[in-house]
Amino acid sequence: MTAPSGELRAFLAAWVRNPVSMGAIAPSSRGLAELLASVVPSAGAPMVVELGSGTGAITNAIERRLPAGATHIAVDANPAMVAYLRQRCPGVDAVVGDAAELGALLEQRSITGVDAVVSGLPWALFTPTAQGNVLREIANALGPVGVFATFAYSVARPLPSAQRFRRRLQSNFNEVVRTKTVWANLPPAFGYLCRQPLQVSDR
Ligand SMILES: C[S@@+](CC[C@H](N)C(=O)[O-])C[C@H]1O[C@@H](n2cnc3c(N)ncnc32)[C@H](O)[C@@H]1O
């Protein structure tokens, strides 16, 4: 893990205040962040939403890839994380909000289609119902060629809850591809890259 010390301090401060909402012991590594950010279009004027942006490990990787005309909205439920991100990445539209209300948040901004959603959300801490609600919001926000990237920890992969999450992804997207493991992440993690969101009526 190569998080700068300011980022680590901000992450630890949030973790000490509310470990349950963080769901991780450290910010994502650069390798994992770049893997997830690889789904973001690097040309045109894409609309990108990041959920659970935290201290900005994935935010930075997305920003490095995005072209000048892009819009990048980063949503996090923790106001302290959002305040930190506004300072660290002033070009990003950092918003305090709940991923479960993504549709309403986009509507407020008159955004009708999103090209990519990248998640740093702690899925394992969500109830099955909450997971389903957030995944539905994401699938609905994406246009037909939109793409969704998220990650999971390798050690948890055999667990029934992790298998259930993968099935949930498959019920919201026609294509779900598991990436290689990023061993340098703490703990090791892999990505799910999901394409062809299904319509609500298809589920
Ligand atoms: C594990 S941290 C990930 C931070 C960063 N993306 C990374 O990968 O290092 C999870 C983040 O998700 C945020 N979060 C948890 N539940 C959320 C929700 N329902 N909506 C938006 N953000 C949420 C937490 O506040 C926290 O900052």
Side-chain angles (χ1 to χ4, degrees):
M1 195 200 68
T2 54
S5 60
E7 178 181 6
L8 206 51
R9 264 201 306 277
F11 189 94
L12 286 174
W15 195 90
V16 166
R17 261 182 251 115
N18 191 352
V20 168
S21 76
M22 297 300 284
I25 53 173
S28 294
S29 64
R30 185 166 175 141
L32 180 62
E34 284 180 350
L35 181 77
L36 299 173
S38 68
V39 302
V40 166
S42 58
M47 173 66 63
V48 174
V49 173
E50 183 185 354
L51 298 173
S53 39
T55 49
I58 301 172
T59 317
N60 259 345
I62 294 173
E63 283 291 286
R64 282 195 295 274
R65 194 175 155 78
L66 281 179
T71 303
H72 179 178
I73 302 173
V75 182
D76 199 289
N78 182 331
M81 294 279 94
V82 173
Y84 177 81
L85 193 68
R86 283 182 183 144
Q87 286 199 330
R88 184 179 181 189
C89 301
V92 174
D93 183 3
V95 180
V96 179
D98 185 344
E101 286 161 17
L102 176 60
L105 195 144
L106 295 174
E107 207 176 310
Q108 280 160 19
R109 289 169 163 69
S110 307
I111 295 168
T112 51
V114 172
D115 298 296
V117 175
V118 181
S119 162
L121 291 170
W123 295 105
L125 302 181
F126 293 1
T127 63
T129 306
Q131 286 182 353
N133 289 343
V134 175
L135 286 175
R136 205 170 306 116
E137 291 283 309
I138 292 168
N140 285 340
L142 289 167
V145 293
V147 54
F148 169 52
T150 189
F151 72 91
Y153 295 120
S154 304
V155 68
R157 208 178 129 220
L159 298 179
S161 56
Q163 300 291 322
R164 262 198 310 275
F165 180 66
R166 188 189 171 120
R167 286 197 296 277
R168 276 181 192 284
L169 289 174
Q170 285 165 331
S171 70
N172 283 274
F173 294 88
N174 256 330
E175 181 186 293
V176 176
V177 174
R178 184 168 68 81
T179 71
K180 63 174 187 178
T181 297
V182 181
W183 293 104
N185 198 69
L186 189 66
F190 60 87
Y192 283 121
L193 311 185
C194 311
R195 293 186 170 82
Q196 299 168 29
L198 298 168
Q199 299 298 306
V200 179
S201 53
D202 291 339
R203 272 166 275 143

